[in-house]
Amino acid sequence: MPIASETDVPAPANRSMPPVEWVAALDALLDYDEAVAAMETRVALIRAGRAAERVWLVQHPPLYTAGSSARGEDLLDPSRFPVYPTGRGGQYTYHGPGQIVAYVMLDLAARGRDVRRYVRDLESWLIAALRRFAVQGERRDGRVGIWVDRGTGREDKIAAIGVRLRRWISYHGIALNVEPDLTHFEGIVPCGIAEHGVTSLVELGLPVTMDEGADALRIAFEEVFGRDTVDAGL
């Protein structure tokens, strides 16, 4: 059953804070090292008060990332795709075409320095975005990410979460499966959970485009985080 939380209630809009920059760069595949370098630069600028907070939507070429808790035995096919060690929390994750990766760079010092609340807000954001397609995304105790109950005891993961903080500025973020090649997940044990599968909006029978997924994420972000967004370029 879903875990109820007060964070599922949309936050009141905070008009006193500047809007969060929203960058949707889904037309090309972005090199992972380039993305990390850009995030780290932006985090430093936000910390110094020289740049606005930002949500950056990208697609990557097929790759695996290893979080701080990754176990070697969960990398089932090391030669299949490049593997990138990363400082975010979590274990092994796949990124690739058809998946929206949202890198979230927010100042958590302005949000009460509550990391647990921040992660719950990320979960609520994904749940609210999925709801726009009549998909019931759910949390599960002991399993990071958002899950879909397929019936008869089967549960599949549709979105991943992995975060890192630097001086209370967040980076890394979420990954929503719109239409990735689900066979690409077979080279890892996703997030260290072998007994459950993965799914996507298209695999659930919903002909959702990447732009539609991005639009749903934007609307849901504003609802859950209570912040306006403004279009921005890189």
Side-chain angles (χ1 to χ4, degrees):
M1 295 294 293
I3 303 170
S5 169
E6 68 276 7
T7 58
D8 290 325
V9 179
N14 190 340
R15 308 298 180 190
S16 66
M17 298 185 70
V20 175
E21 291 187 354
W22 190 270
V23 181
L26 297 170
D27 292 337
L29 302 180
L30 180 66
D31 177 78
Y32 186 76
D33 283 336
E34 183 180 341
V36 172
M39 278 193 289
E40 290 179 342
T41 297
R42 188 71 178 199
V43 164
L45 291 172
I46 295 171
R47 175 65 180 169
R50 295 168 52 198
E53 297 169 296
R54 170 172 284 186
V55 177
W56 182 24
L57 274 55
V58 305
Q59 290 188 87
H60 288 301
L63 60 92
Y64 299 130
T65 64
S68 57
S69 302
R71 301 173 299 194
E73 62 268 29
D74 288 338
L75 181 60
L76 305 178
D77 188 352
S79 63
R80 185 165 189 177
F81 298 124
V83 180
Y84 293 87
T86 181
R88 61 155 176 81
Q91 301 185 41
Y92 282 104
T93 299
Y94 167 78
H95 295 316
Q99 181 190 70
I100 299 176
V101 178
Y103 291 127
V104 186
M105 292 156 275
L106 298 179
D107 184 358
L108 298 194
R111 295 179 58 83
R113 303 191 180 197
D114 188 337
V115 178
R116 182 171 296 180
R117 170 64 184 261
Y118 173 61
V119 173
R120 299 287 292 189
D121 284 348
L122 294 177
E123 293 170 341
S124 296
W125 174 26
L126 284 162
I127 290 168
L130 290 167
R131 192 179 299 126
R132 300 190 67 81
F133 303 109
V135 173
Q136 184 174 343
E138 301 177 353
R139 299 176 176 91
R140 288 292 182 264
D141 279 329
R143 286 192 255 142
V144 178
I146 300 302
W147 299 81
V148 175
D149 187 343
R150 306 297 297 273
T152 65
R154 176 182 170 187
E155 295 181 345
D156 290 339
K157 190 172 189 175
I158 195 168
I161 297 172
V163 302
R164 187 174 184 182
L165 302 181
R166 180 169 293 172
R167 297 184 178 181
W168 292 106
I169 309 300
S170 70
Y171 60 123
H172 295 277
I174 64 170
L176 174 64
N177 295 337
V178 177
E179 192 181 8
D181 184 337
L182 296 180
T183 67
H184 288 181
F185 287 86
E186 295 172 0
I188 58 172
V189 178
C191 300
I193 302 169
E195 62 271 27
H196 297 287
V198 291
T199 190
S200 68
L201 288 167
V202 170
E203 199 264 342
L204 291 173
L206 301 166
V208 177
T209 67
M210 295 291 281
D211 286 342
E212 289 169 339
D215 289 344
L217 284 170
R218 185 170 189 170
I219 293 167
F221 178 88
E222 293 183 345
E223 291 174 351
V224 171
F225 285 86
R227 298 285 300 278
D228 290 333
T229 60
V230 60
D231 289 323
L234 294 173

